[in-house]
Amino acid sequence: MQFKTLPKVGRSESEIELELDLILQDNELRMGKVFQPPKGVEDFSKRIFAKFMSENAIKSQRGDWIGEIEKQVIQMCVGLFNAPGDASGTFTSGGSESIYTAVHAIREWAKTHKPHITEPEIVVPYSAHPTFTKGCHYFGLKEVRAGLDETWRASPELMDAAVTKNTIAVVASAPCFPYGLYDPVQEIGDIATRHDLWMHVDACVGGYLAPFLEELNIGLPRWDFRVGAVQSISADLHKLGCCLKPASTVLWRSEQLLQYHHFHPSNWPCGTYDMVGFAGSRTAGPIFAAWATLQHLGVNGFVRVAEELLIRKKELFDGINEIEGLKCWDNHLVPVVFEATSVDLAKVKAEMSNRKWNLYGTQEPPLINICLDPASDDNVVDEFLSDLSDAVRLTRQGSVLTKGSLSY
Ligand SMILES: *Cc1c(COP(=O)(O)O)cnc(C)c1O
């Protein structure tokens, strides 16, 4: 049924719910939902979310009872990134808002520290999230994308060459979305130090997994505040932080950097308008759900999630490599990406999509990305591999008729 106008007479709850349940059923996707928390954790978080959903977090900046919980979420998070004592953070609605927040702060910082620059530029690797392009567009900055090296990571040489007298910041991903690879954060940090630039690290996808991989002695490249040049980090709670959307964080090396984020006008009849970020009225649900999820999982819970993901990754890695014509990349866990050596990957993705598998694509080079969910178990992986093997066979036979594409 399609409704283009408000119904003249309101409809019953049950009729509406039935209709919406059908929509949900028809659109149920498997794996990569994206980053669905483990089932028990999700059910618990939903209950807490619902309890606080109707509360308004508009005054959290003033440290009301909601602000107190929001502050504790930030404190629990900041502690994971090896920051110096007075580091701080801001709770946001997602990776996009975290990145806009950082880009805005970078612009304001440059107004103070590089007042002679009138047309500021930010240098980002080609593989960085498109949200940097959007952020630069929104805030009137010029974004310069530097090419990658032969291993598909950011190239410090090309980034350095892209720095001009107008550059105010550099960006690295830890890891980037298209390939799940860590950029050489330390080397890019050296560029920032040499030219006195702000450095932002985008750890949206991996930020809340990395500390627990380290606990398991999985060697990761240095990427967090231990790299001295890093001023800010974006990390999504609603990805591998196992929290419900909308929840993300942007973390600042020092509390003092918050001054470049905050903007509290008072030129209206009601006095100071001091919001935590871009939003005014917003639900307290995600803040409380995040607090509850972090408290409930604890370090041991997150380590368990990391261990489970490592097991799933290994199963996928081995299983994909066993399928003739496919080859899985050896990256740092997420997303799991694979290329094709002798089969049309776009068709394979199309067939998987027909079977309700939610996969992402990369065009340069042709890849399929799997946003491995913490909710996935052995059964999901087995079904996935079996369908993938079918999809490759059908593609080879020329029997996949759906027009495929490797676009995101
Ligand atoms: C997902 C992602 C983003 C954007 O986050 P949203 O929560 O989708 O707004 C930014 N950067 C990276 C590396 C990501 O994986």
Side-chain angles (χ1 to χ4, degrees), residues 94-97 99 129 131 173 175-177 202-205 236 238-239:
S96 302
E97 189 185 340
I99 290 169
H129 201 270
T131 309
S173 307
C176 70
F177 182 85
D202 181 18
C204 276
V205 68
D236 286 352
H238 68 203
K239 285 187 181 155

Side-chain angles (χ1 to χ4, degrees), residues 32-346:
K33 282 187 79 167
V34 157
F35 304 110
Q36 189 185 17
K39 191 78 186 98
V41 176
E42 184 178 41
D43 291 341
F44 169 63
S45 309
K46 278 181 171 175
R47 289 203 302 279
I48 305 296
F49 194 117
K51 264 188 227 291
F52 293 91
M53 189 160 54
S54 306
E55 306 297 333
N56 193 348
I58 193 166
K59 290 190 178 175
S60 75
Q61 176 64 24
R62 298 191 180 176
D64 64 354
W65 62 283
I66 297 172
E68 179 51 38
I69 292 293
E70 189 176 42
K71 199 168 90 194
Q72 290 179 25
V73 170
I74 290 298
Q75 282 165 343
M76 286 189 269
C77 292
V78 161
L80 296 172
F81 300 121
N82 300 293
D86 67 337
S88 184
T90 305
F91 190 90
T92 72
S93 63
S96 302
E97 189 185 340
S98 290
I99 290 169
Y100 303 149
T101 303
V103 171
H104 170 258
I106 288 167
R107 189 190 69 181
E108 295 305 295
W109 170 84
K111 277 186 192 166
T112 308
H113 289 81
K114 299 180 177 289
H116 55 283
I117 296 181
T118 52
E119 291 175 19
E121 300 174 6
I122 294 185
V123 177
V124 314
Y126 182 50
S127 52
H129 201 270
T131 309
F132 288 100
T133 315
K134 289 176 72 179
C136 286
H137 175 76
Y138 293 153
F139 297 117
L141 304 175
K142 179 177 168 196
E143 189 205 56
V144 180
R145 291 215 161 211
L148 307 176
D149 71 11
E150 65 285 354
T151 67
W152 301 97
R153 290 169 179 83
S155 156
E157 288 72 32
L158 294 177
M159 287 184 73
D160 200 22
V163 171
T164 71
K165 61 183 191 339
N166 289 329
T167 306
I168 59 172
V170 287
V171 167
S173 307
C176 70
F177 182 85
Y179 317 124
L181 296 170
Y182 279 73
D183 287 334
V185 176
Q186 180 63 60
E187 285 80 355
I188 296 169
D190 292 343
I191 300 173
T193 305
R194 214 165 337 110
H195 299 280
D196 182 27
L197 307 172
W198 182 296
M199 178 171 186
H200 178 84
V201 173
D202 181 18
C204 276
V205 68
Y208 289 105
L209 179 65
F212 309 107
L213 288 178
E214 264 190 46
E215 293 264 334
L216 293 167
N217 293 316
I218 306 291
L220 294 178
R222 286 232 151 167
W223 67 274
D224 61 13
F225 287 117
R226 281 172 287 190
V227 176
V230 175
Q231 300 296 318
S232 53
I233 293 174
S234 42
D236 286 352
L237 285 166
H238 68 203
K239 285 187 181 155
L240 294 166
C242 296
C243 294
L244 293 176
K245 290 179 278 297
S248 173
T249 50
V250 52
L251 308 153
W252 314 101
R253 172 174 287 277
S254 78
E255 185 139 30
Q256 181 250 332
L257 296 179
L258 269 172
Q259 68 180 292
Y260 304 114
H261 161 53
H262 284 148
F263 180 59
H264 299 157
S266 54
N267 57 344
W268 74 321
C270 302
T272 307
Y273 187 72
D274 46 356
M275 300 297 118
V276 160
F278 299 146
S281 295
R282 61 194 172 115
T283 166
I287 299 170
F288 281 81
W291 187 90
T293 304
L294 295 173
Q295 288 288 313
H296 177 56
L297 278 173
V299 172
N300 69 328
F302 276 108
V303 168
R304 220 178 320 118
V305 169
E307 278 173 329
E308 290 285 323
L309 282 168
L310 284 171
I311 295 170
R312 297 292 98 71
K313 165 71 185 267
K314 174 104 178 55
E315 291 166 349
L316 281 169
F317 186 86
D318 294 344
I320 290 168
N321 283 338
E322 265 172 36
I323 299 172
E324 204 198 316
L326 301 185
K327 187 170 178 300
C328 205
W329 279 27
D330 196 5
N331 65 8
H332 288 98
L333 193 62
V334 281
V336 177
V337 301
F338 59 94
E339 63 185 34
T341 47
S342 61
V343 67
D344 180 350
L345 214 47

